[in-house]
């Protein structure tokens, strides 16, 4: 058995590269606990009241300042998933055309499918969505209302949209009248390379709605995310939020606010980035060693690495063979409407370097078994 595995009686050892979630060791539990104490001490009325549908006002103000926008442009939600759902409900009806990246976040595909959208999946390249292909699609008659883009350390590929492509996308949105939904929960987690400005900050019209989250920088269980956009649109979504839940979780938002103003957020981001950088290095080296013939782009931040498998190794078979060895991985097919049979998404956010080495060794063993059986 590979070193570093936890053997449970009667069960195969389990290492999961499946979930986009952090391991407990990179969550500042003590800092959160202290922030909770301060939240109740400093603002008991605000933290315990229903509050308003736009979110806990001091946190809303803090976010607005961080993005250099007016407070009226910010709505704080229960996780950015809730922000996504409100935005889709506001902008996407049955038959509306929506651009997504190929591959993209599986929950986006689900949410758009549930709303009856007509989804156009445009190829994702290592420097982001193929903007030329998008322009051609529009020339051929596509009339998108919305483009859902995960610009930084994309889920599932780990790629980042380049500055020229951000500008090209903004140009297309202005010219053809569609909204860019910039879904950016991983932006703070860069451990190498150069920062790229958000499309929200580059936008000269009101063509961008931006979503971000504290799930990846604080912890996912806190369920705090937010939207930034045109004040008129945010006001409409705030009405929708009122009728959905009166207000989001004020206790959680008051805790996040205390965590942020105390400087704990910046410290937490440094901890998370250092761990992710080490894990990405370990993962890239392990995949090179154990999966010869596979290809990938080493991530510069975020949680995910997309691996195109060696010829002759099919993702579904490899997922099964890896599971039999106690390693959980997701096939590329989960992130596309079609295709993806030659790829895996590996999430390295929840595994230690020792687990990565051990897990990838088992995936390598599984790949050899699959290739042997296919031959
Ligand atoms: C691209 C993308 N958007 C949104 C979310 C949802 O994040 P939250 O935990 O803030 O709801 C995720 C979480 O994995 C994500 O990867």
């Amino acid at each position: 058995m590979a070193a570093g595995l936890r053997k449970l009686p009667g069960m195969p050892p389990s290492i999961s590269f499946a979930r986009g979630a952090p391991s407990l060791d990179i969550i500042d539990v003590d800092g959160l606990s202290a922030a909770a104490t301060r939240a109740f001490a400093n603002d008991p009325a605000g933290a315990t009241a229903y509050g308003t549908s736009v979110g806990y006002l001091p946190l809303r103000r803090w976010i607005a300042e961080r993005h250099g926008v007016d407070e009226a442009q910010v709505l704080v939600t229960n996780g950015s998933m809730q922000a996504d759902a409100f935005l889709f409900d506001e902008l996407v009806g049955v038959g509306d055309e929506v651009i997504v990246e190929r591959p993209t976040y599986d929950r986006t595909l689900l949410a758009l499918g549930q709303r009856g959208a007509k989804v156009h999946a445009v190829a994702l390249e290592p420097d982001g969505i193929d903007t030329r292909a998008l322009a051609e699609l529009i020339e051929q008659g596509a009339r998108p209302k919305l483009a859902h883009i995960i610009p930084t350390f994309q889920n599932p590929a780990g790629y980042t949209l380049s500055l020229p492509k951000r500008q090209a996308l903004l140009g297309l949105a202005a010219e053809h009248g569609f909204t860019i939904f910039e879904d950016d929960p991983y932006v703070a987690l860069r451990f190498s390379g150069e920062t790229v400005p958000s499309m929200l900050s580059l936008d000269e019209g009101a063509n961008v709605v931006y979503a971000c989250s504290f799930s990846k920088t604080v912890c996912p269980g806190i369920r705090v995310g937010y939207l930034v956009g045109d004040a008129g649109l945010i006001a409409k979504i705030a009405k929708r939020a009122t009728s959905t839940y009166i207000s989001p979780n004020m206790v959680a938002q008051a805790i996040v606010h205390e965590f942020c103003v105390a400087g704990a957020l910046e410290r937490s981001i440094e901890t998370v980035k250092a761990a992710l950088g080490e894990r990405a290095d370990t993962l890239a080296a392990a995949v090179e060693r154990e999966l010869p013939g596979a290809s990938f782009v080493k991530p510069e931040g975020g949680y995910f690495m997309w691996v195109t498998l060696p010829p002759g190794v099919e993702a579904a078979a490899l997922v099964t063979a890896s599971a039999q060895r106690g390693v959980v991985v997701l096939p590329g097919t989960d992130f596309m409407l079609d295709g993806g049979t030659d790829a895996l998404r590996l999430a390295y956010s929840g595994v230690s370097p020792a687990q990565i080495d051990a897990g990838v060794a088992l995936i390598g063993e599984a790949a050899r078994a699959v290739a042997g059986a296919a031959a």
Side-chain angles (χ1 to χ4, degrees), residues 10 34 56 75 93 114 138 171 207 213 280 282 299 312 322 326 361:
Y56 181 64
L75 177 107
Q114 285 165 346
I138 295 171
N207 299 314
S213 175
T282 307
S322 298

Side-chain angles (χ1 to χ4, degrees), residues 79-81 84 105 150 155 183 185-186 213 215-216 223:
S80 63
M81 275 292 291
D84 299 6
Y105 183 37
I150 308 164
N155 182 5
D183 188 3
Y186 303 98
S213 175
S215 287
K216 321 294 173 179
R223 307 309 298 131

Side-chain angles (χ1 to χ4, degrees), residues 104-126:
T104 190
Y105 183 37
D106 46 350
R107 291 186 192 279
T108 299
L109 292 176
L110 193 67
L112 291 172
Q114 285 165 346
R115 286 161 181 83
K118 181 175 174 195
V119 173
H120 299 285
V122 176
L124 184 74
E125 302 173 317

Side-chain angles (χ1 to χ4, degrees), residues 16-350:
S16 179
F17 294 97
R19 291 210 67 201
S23 51
L24 180 59
D25 60 309
I26 56 173
I27 295 173
D28 179 8
V29 177
D30 291 343
L32 276 168
S33 171
T37 302
R38 289 195 303 278
F40 287 115
N42 294 345
D43 186 15
T48 58
Y50 271 115
T52 98
S53 68
V54 294
Y56 181 64
L57 295 178
L59 181 62
R60 185 194 198 208
R61 196 169 310 129
W62 186 90
I63 292 166
E65 277 169 19
R66 202 163 166 94
H67 285 281
V69 299
D70 197 88
E71 276 173 59
Q73 292 181 256
V74 179
L75 177 107
V76 195
T77 51
N78 291 337
S80 63
M81 275 292 291
Q82 183 69 64
D84 299 6
F86 283 148
L87 186 70
F88 290 148
D89 283 339
E90 194 61 42
L91 296 185
V92 181
V94 174
D96 282 340
E97 297 181 45
V98 180
I99 304 295
V100 299
E101 297 156 316
R102 183 177 184 275
T104 190
Y105 183 37
D106 46 350
R107 291 186 192 279
T108 299
L109 292 176
L110 193 67
L112 291 172
Q114 285 165 346
R115 286 161 181 83
K118 181 175 174 195
V119 173
H120 299 285
V122 176
L124 184 74
E125 302 173 317
D127 63 347
I129 190 170
D130 183 345
T131 46
R132 281 199 193 156
L134 173 56
E136 273 167 30
L137 192 70
I138 295 171
E139 252 168 51
Q140 286 158 12
R143 290 291 166 266
K145 200 167 174 199
L146 187 71
H148 175 261
I149 305 290
I150 308 164
T152 327
F153 316 131
Q154 202 251 13
N155 182 5
Y159 304 159
T160 293
L161 185 62
S162 67
L163 180 58
K165 282 191 169 178
R166 287 178 193 228
Q167 286 160 333
L169 207 49
L170 284 165
L172 287 172
E175 188 182 343
H176 299 286
F178 63 85
T179 299
I180 297 171
F181 177 21
E182 184 170 23
D183 188 3
D184 213 11
Y186 303 98
V187 65
L189 304 181
R190 176 176 287 282
F191 43 75
S192 66
E194 297 291 314
T195 302
V196 190
S198 67
M199 288 180 280
L200 177 75
S201 69
L202 297 168
D203 183 24
E204 286 172 0
N207 299 314
V208 178
V209 183
Y210 184 91
C212 197
S213 175
F214 293 95
S215 287
K216 321 294 173 179
T217 52
V218 179
C219 67
I222 200 87
R223 307 309 298 131
V224 180
Y226 59 91
L227 270 186
V228 182
D230 169 70
L233 176 70
I234 294 293
K236 281 195 211 160
I237 294 178
K239 267 196 188 162
R240 195 177 280 283
T242 307
S243 59
T244 303
Y245 53 28
I246 305 177
S247 61
N249 184 330
M250 291 293 131
V251 172
Q253 294 190 11
I255 294 171
V256 169
H257 177 253
E258 287 293 343
F259 196 81
C260 292
V261 296
L265 178 69
E266 303 309 330
R267 287 195 293 280
S268 173
I269 289 172
E270 289 310 312
T271 305
V272 173
K273 285 196 308 192
L276 291 176
E278 187 190 2
R279 291 171 195 188
D281 281 348
T282 307
L283 181 63
V287 170
E288 244 166 38
R289 194 171 58 239
E290 305 290 346
L291 282 172
S295 57
F296 61 87
V297 177
K298 194 174 156 195
E300 295 189 334
Y303 276 14
F304 307 108
M305 191 168 99
W306 184 256
V307 177
T308 302
L309 296 170
V313 181
E314 215 252 337
L318 182 56
V319 168
T320 304
S322 298
Q324 285 162 351
R325 290 162 174 80
V327 181
V328 190
V329 288
L330 294 183
T333 46
D334 281 12
F335 306 94
M336 300 187 196
L337 296 173
D338 58 78
T341 55
D342 63 346
L344 294 182
R345 183 192 79 171
L346 296 180
Y348 50 86
S349 51

